[in-house]
Amino acid sequence: MPRSSVPPPPPPPHVRTWPDRAALLADRRRALEELLRRSLGVHRVLLLWLLALAAIIGWSLLVLPIQQLEQHDPSGFILGPVFAFLGLAALAPSVVAVVLAVRRDRRLRELLDAWLHLDSHPPTDARLRSPGLSLFWLLSSLVVGAIGLWASFAAAATASPGPTTLSDLALGMGIGLILWLTGLIGIVKAVRHYRWALRVLGPTRLAEHR
């Protein structure tokens, strides 16, 4: 099974060609470990943060034309459309990539369920719980989400007295919202994995084959 490709679903019963159960369990273990790595690996957290950073850069570029207009900068008529185009070029692909990643996670969970229900091997199944990875997702996402909420509330609080411009408010609120949504995605992912582990890998299922 090439590591560059997502493991396919297990073949239907009438076309299975495993010579024995040991070979089936070996392929099942490799498929489950690869699917879990692609779903919950640390590289997925880093990719989510990278997309959030690209979205923040894009939003900052989109706010620049507003800032130039507020400062009555004549160059804004020339550079404003350029900054707006660059901002959309950074923001839109990031949003699309996050949406595609969420849909891909749903497909990975379906494949995990298919391979998991192919057979049972408690030592392999127990490793799929990955409490350390799910805890890392949860804690890091809580930190990112908290920073996002703080940035949003700080932008709103500084705008209330009056000296903060519209561009500053939009910049702070936008960055805060991006960080908050990034943290929320990570939290939901960690909670879903925990609930999936309880539902599919609960003590009853792991003990029934011992």
Side-chain angles (χ1 to χ4, degrees):
M1 182 190 304
R3 289 187 64 83
S4 59
S5 61
V6 176
H14 63 279
V15 296
R16 291 173 185 171
T17 58
W18 286 291
D20 51 34
R21 185 169 182 264
L24 182 150
L25 290 177
D27 282 349
R28 177 181 179 272
R29 176 183 57 80
R30 285 191 291 268
L32 288 173
E33 289 176 352
E34 179 65 12
L35 288 169
L36 183 66
R37 184 189 72 84
R38 290 176 176 271
S39 174
L40 209 67
V42 176
H43 70 286
R44 295 297 305 276
V45 185
L46 300 179
L47 177 60
L48 180 62
W49 293 350
L50 183 62
L51 291 174
L53 178 61
I56 289 174
I57 293 174
W59 181 253
S60 301
L61 290 172
L62 282 174
V63 172
L64 273 178
I66 302 176
Q67 188 176 37
Q68 290 175 325
L69 289 176
E70 290 177 339
Q71 296 174 352
H72 305 288
D73 187 353
S75 63
F77 294 99
I78 300 175
L79 297 179
V82 176
F83 288 137
F85 174 78
L86 292 176
L88 286 175
L91 181 62
S94 302
V95 174
V96 172
V98 170
V99 173
L100 292 178
V102 172
R103 296 180 61 182
R104 183 173 179 267
D105 282 342
R106 187 178 307 140
R107 175 58 178 164
L108 290 175
R109 284 198 303 273
E110 293 174 355
L111 290 173
L112 274 168
D113 285 336
W115 279 101
L116 190 68
H117 288 93
L118 180 66
D119 205 318
S120 179
H121 187 244
T124 298
D125 299 348
R127 287 198 295 269
L128 298 177
R129 294 174 180 269
S130 299
L133 276 176
S134 56
L135 184 62
F136 174 73
W137 271 88
L138 180 63
L139 295 181
S140 61
S141 299
L142 282 173
V143 172
V144 173
I147 293 174
L149 285 176
W150 174 82
S152 297
F153 284 121
T158 55
S160 54
T164 301
T165 61
L166 177 61
S167 61
D168 293 334
L169 177 62
L171 181 63
M173 293 291 290
I175 291 176
L177 179 61
I178 292 171
L179 292 176
W180 180 79
L181 289 176
T182 301
L184 182 62
I185 291 172
I187 292 170
V188 170
K189 188 179 182 70
V191 172
R192 279 183 176 174
H193 177 76
Y194 175 74
R195 294 179 62 183
W196 175 83
L198 286 181
R199 174 176 58 86
V200 182
L201 305 169
T204 303
R205 189 179 191 279
L206 290 178
E208 64 183 1
H209 292 281
R210 289 177 182 173

